[in-house]
Amino acid sequence: MAATTDCEHLVQYYETDQMGVTHHSNYIRWFEEARTKMFEEIGMGYKGMEELGIISPVTSVSAEYKTSAKYSDTVVIHAEVTRYTGVRFEIVYNVFDKTTGQVRCTGKSSHCFLNREGRVISMQREMPEAHARLDKIINGEEG
């Protein structure tokens, strides 16, 4: 087990613009799709975390567009947690064409953990078992 995932996505017509290419905003949505899948796979799904009173908002996101995905292309969104402090984490993304392997977009998002009142929390203090598991997964010690 690792804090990485590959998520396939079939480009829909409504995701394209008048030029016939994927509108740039959709890549950010695809980042979220892959991020959500990854956290489900490691047993730290957002729904479960929210039931425990912990949310994980995006604090920043960036994308660098390389080539265009078009309607009916299948892309793969590779997501990997590259930094975890117990309070914040970062994920890098690589979106590439499933058939050709051509990179479509790269990006990064940063997040923090908040409680129900919207205050930043330390997972190590608030949820030590979840913190220990996440720390091991991200550092490649579980698997």
Side-chain angles (χ1 to χ4, degrees), residues 10-64:
L10 178 64
V11 179
Q12 301 298 306
Y13 185 76
Y14 69 84
E15 293 175 309
T16 62
D17 61 19
Q18 192 173 18
M19 295 179 289
V21 299
T22 299
H23 189 270
H24 66 276
S25 65
N26 289 296
Y27 291 90
I28 305 302
R29 290 184 175 101
W30 300 347
F31 291 175
E32 182 175 0
E33 192 176 322
R35 182 173 64 248
T36 300
K37 179 183 179 203
M38 178 177 55
F39 276 88
E40 285 292 331
E41 289 174 349
I42 64 174
M44 302 281 294
Y46 285 164
K47 182 176 168 93
M49 294 289 282
E50 289 175 1
E51 288 170 356
L52 295 171
I54 297 172
I55 57 174
S56 178
V58 174
T59 58
S60 69
V61 66
S62 63
E64 200 170 314

Side-chain angles (χ1 to χ4, degrees), residues 28 32 39 42 48 71 92 96 103 106 114-115 117 121-122:
I28 305 302
E32 182 175 0
F39 276 88
I42 64 174
Y71 168 65
V92 296
F96 56 92
V103 176
T106 60
L114 303 179
N115 64 16
E117 291 74 40
I121 61 167
S122 164

Side-chain angles (χ1 to χ4, degrees), residues 68-131:
S68 300
K70 299 183 190 256
Y71 168 65
S72 84
D73 287 351
T74 298
V75 294
V76 177
I77 307 101
H78 177 79
E80 179 176 2
V81 176
T82 57
R83 183 171 166 261
Y84 171 71
T85 67
V87 176
R88 301 182 187 286
F89 63 96
E90 291 180 353
I91 301 173
V92 296
Y93 307 89
N94 288 292
V95 180
F96 56 92
D97 185 272
K98 181 180 179 184
T99 303
T100 67
Q102 189 174 32
V103 176
R104 301 292 186 216
C105 179
T106 60
K108 181 171 89 168
S109 62
S110 300
H111 310 260
C112 66
F113 295 103
L114 303 179
N115 64 16
R116 283 190 174 105
E117 291 74 40
R119 284 188 231 110
V120 175
I121 61 167
S122 164
M123 289 293 283
Q124 190 169 8
R125 278 197 306 273
E126 301 286 328
M127 297 187 69
E129 290 176 15
H131 164 74

